[in-house]
Amino acid sequence: MFFWRIQLFAVFVQYFIDKCKTAEPNIVILFADDVGYGDLGCYGHPTTSTPHLDKLAANGLLLTQFYAGSPVCSPSRASLLTGRLPPRTGVYPGVFQANDSGGLPLNETTIAELLKTVNYQTGMIGKWHLGVGENQKYLPTNFGFDYYFGIPYTHAQCPCVTCFWPRDSCYGSCKPYFPGCPLFYNDEIVDQPVDLLTLNEQYANAARDFIAKNAQEKKPFFLYYAFQHCHHPQFAGKKFRNSTSRGVFGDSLAEIDWSVGQVIKELKQQDIDKNTLVFFSSDNGPSIQWKTRGGVAGLLKCGKGTTYEGGQRVPGIAYWPGMIKPGRSMELASTLDLLPTIAKMVNGILPNVTLDGVDMGPILFTQDKGLRDTFFYYYPQSRQDKGVYAVRYHQYKAHYYTRGASESGVENKDKDCRPSAELTWHNPPLLFDLNQDPSELYNLNSLPEYNVLLNEIHQIYERHVTSMKWAESEINKYKDPKLEPCCKPGCKPFPSCCQCHKLGHSQSLTFK
Ligand SMILES: *[C@@H]1O[C@H](CO)[C@@H](O)[C@H](O)[C@H]1NC(C)=O
Ligand SMILES: *[C@@H]1O[C@H](CO)[C@@H](O)[C@H](O)[C@H]1NC(C)=O
Ligand SMILES: *[C@@H]1O[C@H](CO)[C@@H](O)[C@H](O)[C@H]1NC(C)=O
Ligand SMILES: *[C@@H]1O[C@H](CO)[C@@H](O)[C@H](O)[C@H]1NC(C)=O
C-alpha cells in the first residue's frame, strides 16, 4: 500500500515536471495609443468604462510608476521593442510619416527577434509606426515577426472620412493628401482604405485566431498587439458608438477594453491563461490638444510631447494568474524593461548592445525591490546639444530643461504645457519629490537640505550625457510621396486610385 502510494506520487511529480518542461510561457503585449495615466477605471477615471482592463488590474499587478520610453509614438515603440532609448536607435526627432524613407534600423534587435532564437511563434497586430520605407523594408516581418496584420502608422496619417457607426464623419480631416489607410497582411496590402468601423473587430479576431492556432499546435508564442485607439481621430463601430457616458474618447477606449476581454477569453478557452504573461501599457501620455476628444493624465502635469510626468508616466498592468500576485506596485519600471525581462523569462540571449532596460522579474514575480533607480526623459525634438531633459532618481525628479508641446494643448490652463512654453534651461535643475508631489507643483531646488541630492543627481546626469552615443536620425532622412503605401503602385490619379478590397468588409483575415 505504502509503496503503491510512492509510485503514484512519482507519476504525479513526473507529470508536473513534463508539463513545466514543455510549457514555455506565452507573451502578450497589449499597447494602447495616447491613453493617459488617468484614463482607465482602475487608475481612477470616474466615467470611463473599462471593465476588462479593471479586472485585469484586479487580478494582476497595477504599476503606479511605469514609464513609456518617449512622450511620442515612434520613439516610444522603438524603445519598447529594443529596450533602448530613442537617441541610440535613431528614432528621433518626432515620428515617422507615411512618406518617410527611414525606419527602425534593421540591425536593432527586437523582442520578436530575440524570441525567434528560442523558437517562439511571433505575431504583430495593429499600429507599427517604425517605418515602411523603400521596398517596405521596415515592416514588422523584417524585425522577427512571422505574421503582421495592421496599419503601419496612425490612422491620422490617412484621409479619414467615416469614424462612427453608421456613417458619421471623423472630427478633422486627418491627412487628405496621403493614400487611404493601408491594411497589411504580412507585406501585402489587403484593404485600402481601411474601414474604421470594423477595424477594431478585425484586429481582435486576428488576435484570437493567432492565439488559438498556436495553442492548438502547442507552440509558444509572442503577440504584440498595438491598438490604433485612442489616437485622434476617435472612432467606434456599431457595438460601441455612444456606448459610454464619456463621449467619443470613452467609446474608443471601450473598443480597446472589449478587445482586451477577447484576448483573455481566448487564452482561457485554450486553457493557456495560466501560462501566459499579459502586459498592458500605452505609448505615451494623453493628447490634451483634443480636449474632450483626447485622454487625461489624471493628477500628473501636462501630457503627450512633454517630459513632465503626464507625457511619459502611463498605465502598466501585468497579468499572469498563479505567477504574478495581484496587487499594486510603486516600483519604478519602464517599457524599456520588457525586453530584458522577457529575455530572462525564456533563457534568451540579450543582444550585444547597450541596453537602457533592466529585468523587471523581481517586481513582477517576487514582490521585491526593482532593479531600476533612474529614468531618463528625452524630449522628442531633443538634439545632441540638449540631450536628456530630466532625470528621475528614486522618488526625485530633476528637470534640466523644460518645454511645452502642441500635443499638450495651445489652450492648456497650465501654461507650462503649451507649445508657447519655450525651451528653458534650469540651473540648478527644478527638483520635485514625486512621492510627496506627483503633480510636480513644489520645486525644492532652493532648499539647502537637497544640495547633496542635487549633486548626486548631477553626477548621474553627467555620466549619462557623456556616455550616450547618438545614432544618425532616421526621421530626418528623405521623404518622398512615392514611398506612401499604395496597393496599386504607379496608378493614377495618385493617391485616390490606391483602392483595393481583397477582404470583404466585416470579415476578418483567418490566420494561416
Ligand atoms: C547599426 O548600424 C549603424 C550604421 O552602421 C550604426 O551606427 C549602429 O551603431 C548600428 N546599431 C547596432 C545596434 O548595431
Ligand atoms: C450618437 O450621439 C450623437 C450625439 O448625441 C448623435 O448625434 C448620434 O445620432 C448618435 N448616434 C447613434 C448611432 O446613436
Ligand atoms: C559584443 O560587442 C563588442 C563591441 O561591439 C565586441 O567587442 C564583442 O566581441 C561582442 N561580444 C560578443 C559576445 O559578440
Ligand atoms: C511628407 O509628409 C509630411 C507630413 O504630412 C509633409 O509635411 C511633407 O511635405 C511630405 N514631404 C514630401 C516630400 O512628400
Side-chain angles (χ1 to χ4, degrees), residues 165-166 241-242:
W165 187 85
R241 169 59 162 160
N242 292 350

Side-chain angles (χ1 to χ4, degrees), residues 86-109:
R88 294 191 208 280
T89 57
V91 183
Y92 71 88
V95 304
F96 291 114
Q97 304 290 328
N99 58 12
D100 257 295
S101 67
L104 181 65
L106 295 162
N107 60 359
E108 290 289 334
T109 305

Side-chain angles (χ1 to χ4, degrees), residues 486-507:
C486 176
C487 62
K488 293 178 184 160
C491 71
K492 285 194 181 102
F494 181 81
S496 61
C497 62
C498 301
Q499 295 207 16
C500 302
H501 299 289
K502 298 182 188 172
L503 302 172
H505 279 325
S506 79
Q507 167 200 341

Side-chain angles (χ1 to χ4, degrees), residues 19-78:
K19 201 166 163 156
C20 293
K21 248 199 306 210
T22 51
E24 291 115 319
N26 308 303
I27 295 153
V28 178
I29 295 178
L30 303 168
F31 210 41
D33 195 317
D34 294 0
V35 168
Y37 188 77
D39 278 321
L40 308 184
C42 51
Y43 278 84
H45 197 283
T47 56
T48 259
S49 170
T50 49
H52 295 103
L53 281 162
D54 299 349
K55 204 164 151 197
L56 205 69
N59 298 317
L61 188 67
L62 181 147
L63 298 157
T64 63
Q65 323 255 352
F66 189 74
Y67 291 90
S70 167
V72 295
C73 186
S74 300
S76 170
R77 284 155 206 263

Side-chain angles (χ1 to χ4, degrees), residues 25 189 246 265 354 400:
I189 298 174
R246 199 185 158 183
K265 188 170 167 185
T354 307
Y400 285 83

Side-chain angles (χ1 to χ4, degrees), residues 133-327:
E134 279 172 34
N135 303 316
Q136 306 178 342
K137 67 177 174 184
Y138 294 119
L139 286 180
T141 42
N142 300 312
F143 289 95
F145 289 100
D146 299 320
Y147 163 69
Y148 176 52
F149 184 62
I151 302 173
Y153 36 80
T154 160
H155 56 286
Q157 287 176 14
C158 319
C160 58
V161 181
T162 306
C163 277
F164 294 99
W165 187 85
R167 58 191 70 83
D168 297 355
S169 55
C170 301
Y171 181 78
S173 53
C174 304
K175 299 262 166 87
Y177 46 87
F178 277 137
C181 278
L183 181 65
F184 279 83
Y185 169 45
N186 295 333
D187 43 20
E188 185 194 359
I189 298 174
V190 289
D191 204 20
Q192 188 172 27
V194 78
D195 174 19
L196 290 175
L197 304 191
T198 56
L199 181 64
N200 192 68
E201 202 170 340
Q202 292 186 61
Y203 281 180
N205 289 343
R208 291 187 68 164
D209 287 350
F210 180 80
I211 293 167
K213 179 175 188 284
N214 288 304
Q216 278 150 25
E217 292 175 1
K218 301 209 179 324
K219 290 180 178 159
F221 65 83
F222 168 49
L223 172 62
Y224 171 41
Y225 183 174
F227 304 97
Q228 303 292 141
H229 287 310
C230 288
H231 193 287
H232 161 83
Q234 305 308 325
F235 62 91
K238 188 171 181 179
K239 265 198 202 95
F240 294 100
R241 169 59 162 160
N242 292 350
S243 72
T244 70
S245 46
R246 199 185 158 183
V248 295
F249 188 91
D251 293 353
S252 297
L253 187 55
E255 286 207 336
I256 294 189
D257 186 72
W258 173 83
S259 312
V260 172
Q262 292 293 298
V263 166
I264 302 301
K265 188 170 167 185
E266 192 64 45
L267 293 174
K268 286 194 172 142
Q269 255 170 33
Q270 299 296 338
D271 198 21
I272 53 172
D273 57 315
K274 293 187 180 62
N275 191 38
T276 305
L277 168 66
V278 178
F279 200 95
F280 176 88
S281 190
S282 176
D283 66 341
N284 46 249
S287 196
I288 298 170
Q289 62 177 323
W290 299 107
K291 301 182 181 170
T292 58
R293 292 182 180 84
V296 292
L299 80 176
L300 304 179
K301 188 177 169 89
C302 304
K304 183 174 180 180
T306 75
T307 48
Y308 293 105
E309 288 298 287
Q312 287 192 251
R313 204 194 292 194
V314 287
I317 303 170
Y319 171 84
W320 186 351
M323 281 295 286
I324 294 179
K325 200 173 161 223

